[in-house]
Amino acid sequence: MPIVLGGIADDFTGATDLANNLVRAGMRTVQVIGVPQDALQEGAANGLDLTEVDAVVVALKSRSCPVDQAISESLAALEWLKAQGARQLFFKYCSTFDSTPEGNIGPVADALLEALSATQTAFVPAFPINGRSVYQGHLFVGDRLLNDSGMQHHPLNPMTDADIVRVLSRQTPHGVGLLDHATLCRGAQEARQRLDELAHQNVRHVVCDSLDEQDLEVLAEALVDHALVTGGSGLAQALPAQYRRKGWLEPIDDAAVLAPAKGAAMVLSGSCSRMTLKQVAHFTQQHAAFALDPVKLNASDTHFEAALEFAREQLAATDPKPFLIYASAEPESVKAAQASLGVKQAGELIECALASLASTLVAEGVGRLLVAGGETSGAVVSALDIRELRIGGQIDPGVPWTQAPHPAAGPSQPEAMLSLTLKSGNFGGEDFFTRAFDVLDAMNPREENA
Ligand SMILES: Nc1ncnc2c1ncn2[C@@H]1O[C@H](COP(=O)(O)OP(=O)(O)O)[C@@H](O)[C@H]1O
Ligand SMILES: O=C(O)[C@@H](O)C(=O)COP(=O)(O)O
């Protein structure tokens, strides 16, 4: 059977967020890291068995890279997903619309539309259960406008304007319009009519209001026949019901199953988002932690080596407890590091250090790994050379446990798995770093002595 939905996600945490909501709504979903390179075969692609899979999400690291690269990687993902038979494409970006005036959301959406010979797509960043809603085209995080939510301090893409119609208009030469809440309240048929009217006015990009799950259901019904939809993962909760209604998807019992987890627990955090800072503070009250400083990392290798030594001490304990290595810092400290090193270099130094720690420590006994931050997750997963993630149960909305073949397992252990959770910056409760491991143990009892 061809797949129904093909996801193209602009970062790795966003990809697991999308895959998580698809799984929860009953789609058997595989997440692949980057576009699989090998030749396609009947029923299999790059060694992936897609015969019992309803959705594939391709995770890219295209949120903050140069626009041309984001476009070419997204188009490659589109081609591969079309070759798997995807009926609908979903371009997943952040529910806080993380982007800059150059892009990459607008240019990538334009390129995908053109490649699909489609004339219109919808922009649905809302993720109500995580407090992201859109009203009159303005994005809210909880009760704050986006530009007052902490996102104005993001290290890579500060969001200083909550008006998504205006933000997107800076990123595309094409018309941008609004499907407003009042129209949505009149149902899917009215919404479709409004989309058609906007299409006749050459409005290629339609930002959609949505306050709650009910609005997303109306939108899913109105958008199910669009070749391309774009947004946060909220819409993905509502689309599978429409696919079933159309007979594209069979009902199934449980789309999320993982093997028992093994190995020591480690948290790596490169996210400076408000919620991550609270999670770091909560965790460090009771657990061992090491703070990475980009300026010290730049000055000599000693700082990195101290972090490694700290981790090795934790792993050497008889019964290792979860521990944390983090660069997460308050905005003033991030600004100071960026002023001294440059924005790009500060970020890259930390991403490289965390990625390198992950590869070394996973080979030395870490089997349960929590990574906080989208860019950070991209760096860590790439360093571990992980190609595919199975999606398991949810820890908090938008964040599931996943598993990948263990990167350090030899040929004699083909079943060995690394349990991995990739946490978006602002997702998860304050106790997420501790609770995540309890949730994993509860859903998949741990095999001792791994
Ligand atoms: N102390 C710091 N100073 C400067 N940049 C930092 C610091 N800590 C983390 N960063 C960088 O900030 C970026 C955070 O982005 P990301 O990992 O996507 O987190 P989030 O999911 O919260 O957006 C990364 O590039 C990371 O390397
Ligand atoms: O849609 C969302 O909010 C997340 O899935 C996401 O993309 C968050 O990105 P990061 O905060 O950079 O992890």
Side-chain angles (χ1 to χ4, degrees):
M1 279 273 282
I3 61 169
V4 179
L5 181 141
I8 303 172
D10 70 355
D11 83 345
F12 290 20
T13 44
T16 46
D17 173 17
L18 173 60
N20 178 53
N21 275 348
L22 293 171
V23 166
R24 289 172 66 74
M27 290 184 89
R28 295 163 301 179
T29 306
V30 168
Q31 176 173 339
V32 293
I33 308 300
V35 182
Q37 295 302 316
D38 296 2
L40 309 178
Q41 303 154 13
E42 182 86 13
N46 191 34
L48 283 178
D49 182 1
L50 298 184
T51 45
E52 293 197 353
V53 170
D54 306 310
V56 180
V57 179
V58 178
L60 301 177
K61 197 171 183 302
S62 56
R63 186 173 292 176
S64 306
C65 70
V67 176
D68 289 352
Q69 186 186 337
I71 290 177
S72 65
E73 287 180 10
S74 305
L75 288 177
L78 173 71
E79 284 312 311
W80 185 83
L81 289 164
K82 272 178 25 189
Q84 309 314 312
R87 289 176 185 257
Q88 186 166 49
L89 277 301
F90 193 124
F91 170 33
K92 162 73 179 65
Y93 42 77
C94 193
S95 61
T96 45
F97 215 78
D98 295 19
S99 52
T100 68
E102 289 72 47
N104 292 337
I105 296 176
V108 168
D110 278 328
L112 294 174
L113 274 175
E114 200 171 314
L116 288 162
S117 306
T119 51
Q120 190 184 65
T121 190
F123 291 76
V124 188
F127 191 6
I129 196 165
N130 268 338
R132 278 73 162 154
S133 60
V134 180
Y135 184 63
Q136 301 296 0
H138 287 66
L139 181 46
F140 289 81
V141 178
D143 61 357
R144 312 310 301 166
L145 280 164
L146 176 65
N147 56 307
D148 192 24
S149 69
M151 283 304 296
Q152 69 273 31
H153 301 305
H154 192 280
L156 305 179
N157 45 259
M159 299 304 293
T160 54
D161 188 355
D163 181 341
I164 299 305
V165 174
R166 192 162 53 201
V167 170
L168 188 56
S169 299
R170 295 188 194 109
Q171 299 180 20
T172 172
H174 298 287
V176 182
L178 175 69
L179 177 57
D180 70 323
H181 191 250
T183 308
L184 272 190
C185 288
R186 295 196 287 273
Q189 201 178 333
E190 292 267 348
R192 265 195 299 266
Q193 261 171 28
R194 181 67 188 138
L195 289 166
D196 288 345
E197 279 165 24
L198 289 167
H200 282 117
Q201 295 160 20
N202 285 328
V203 173
R204 207 171 163 82
H205 300 307
V206 184
V207 174
C208 300
D209 278 355
S210 24
L211 304 186
D212 53 26
E213 267 77 24
Q214 206 179 327
D215 292 340
L216 292 172
E217 281 163 22
V218 174
L219 279 173
E221 191 178 340
L223 296 171
V224 66
D225 290 315
H226 280 216
L228 174 71
V229 290
T230 86
S233 69
L235 182 65
Q237 291 171 303
L239 283 170
Q242 297 304 321
Y243 300 152
R244 277 191 285 272
R245 192 177 57 81
K246 288 177 88 69
W248 297 351
L249 194 64
E250 301 288 324
I252 50 151
D253 289 342
D254 190 359
V257 185
L258 295 185
K262 295 180 177 186
M266 173 168 79
V267 184
L268 296 176
S269 179
S271 160
C272 299
S273 295
R274 267 186 196 171
M275 186 42 87
T276 306
L277 295 179
K278 288 187 189 168
Q279 290 159 345
V280 168
H282 187 277
F283 186 88
T284 49
Q285 281 168 19
Q286 297 199 350
H287 292 82
F290 186 98
L292 280 180
D293 177 337
V295 177
K296 287 188 192 162
L297 276 176
N298 188 50
S300 83
D301 292 342
T302 325
H303 189 53
F304 177 83
E305 280 155 16
L308 195 53
E309 195 183 314
F310 158 81
R312 284 180 170 146
E313 274 166 20
Q314 309 307 311
L315 293 179
T318 325
D319 180 18
K321 298 278 176 288
F323 64 94
L324 163 70
I325 302 178
Y326 66 103
S328 315
E330 296 289 342
E332 307 74 55
S333 153
V334 171
K335 282 203 181 83
Q338 290 178 333
S340 142
L341 301 166
V343 174
K344 197 160 175 280
Q345 205 196 339
E348 282 176 4
L349 270 166
I350 289 160
E351 290 179 32
C352 282
L354 291 173
S356 173
L357 286 164
S359 351
T360 306
L361 296 165
V362 162
E364 294 183 12
V366 169
R368 294 171 292 148
L369 177 59
L370 190 168
V371 187
E375 294 296 320
T376 311
S377 295
V380 167
V381 169
S382 305
L384 291 172
D385 200 21
I386 286 171
R387 308 280 171 86
E388 179 196 342
L389 293 174
R390 292 184 201 166
I391 308 298
Q394 173 175 288
I395 306 162
D396 272 339
V399 204
W401 272 106
T402 72
Q403 276 179 344
H406 200 292
S412 60
Q413 309 157 283
E415 304 298 321
M417 288 285 163
L418 173 70
S419 299
L420 188 63
T421 180
L422 309 178
K423 190 200 78 76
S424 296
N426 275 310
F427 284 1
E430 225 168 298
D431 61 349
F432 185 90
F433 289 1
T434 40
R435 200 162 37 78
F437 297 105
D438 297 338
V439 169
L440 180 65
D441 286 348
M443 61 173 105
N444 302 89
R446 191 144 44 104
E447 281 183 7
E448 289 312 325
N449 204 17

